[in-house]
Amino acid sequence: YSIADATRQGFAGETFEFLGWAQSVDTSNTTARIDIVAGGANWTVGKTFVVGTTLTLVRFQFTLPKNGPNGEYVGNVDIKPSRYGGSGIRWSDMSCVKI
């Protein structure tokens, strides 16, 4: 998922929450990861979560920077759910809302 031109849309400095359901594809636990990458601002934040065989709600709150380290605009913001380690992963019903 990507938010285009965060600064120009008034989203720079705002707080968001990612919500998604994750589960391991087999009987072992796995590690889910969410990375938030703000283009043009050299800013990345992420968090890992251990999930098992049942669907687990993953919630991650983050605040976008107002500017990059040199005062540049925050460009596209990419939200990247992935598997960080362990078994394969299944993601479902993901959303990101401004809070």
Side-chain angles (χ1 to χ4, degrees), residues 32-87:
R33 177 140 182 109
I34 301 297
D35 284 307
I36 313 298
V37 180
N42 280 336
W43 179 87
T44 301
V45 65
K47 188 171 182 180
T48 58
F49 305 84
V50 175
V51 297
T53 57
T54 60
L55 282 169
T56 302
L57 180 60
V58 173
R59 299 175 77 150
F60 179 44
Q61 297 84 29
F62 60 94
T63 301
L64 294 177
K66 288 188 181 248
N67 307 34
N70 297 313
E72 62 270 26
Y73 284 134
V74 177
N76 292 350
V77 176
D78 297 318
I79 301 168
K80 301 177 177 184
S82 64
R83 178 189 65 86
Y84 192 69
S87 297

Side-chain angles (χ1 to χ4, degrees), residues 2 7 11 15 52-53 60 70 95:
S2 186
T7 297
F11 293 139
T15 301
T53 57
F60 179 44
N70 297 313
S95 65

Side-chain angles (χ1 to χ4, degrees), residues 1-23:
Y1 182 75
S2 186
I3 300 168
D5 283 330
T7 297
R8 291 193 176 113
Q9 290 194 63
F11 293 139
E14 296 293 328
T15 301
F16 294 82
E17 181 176 49
F18 169 87
L19 296 133
W21 293 87
Q23 108 185 89

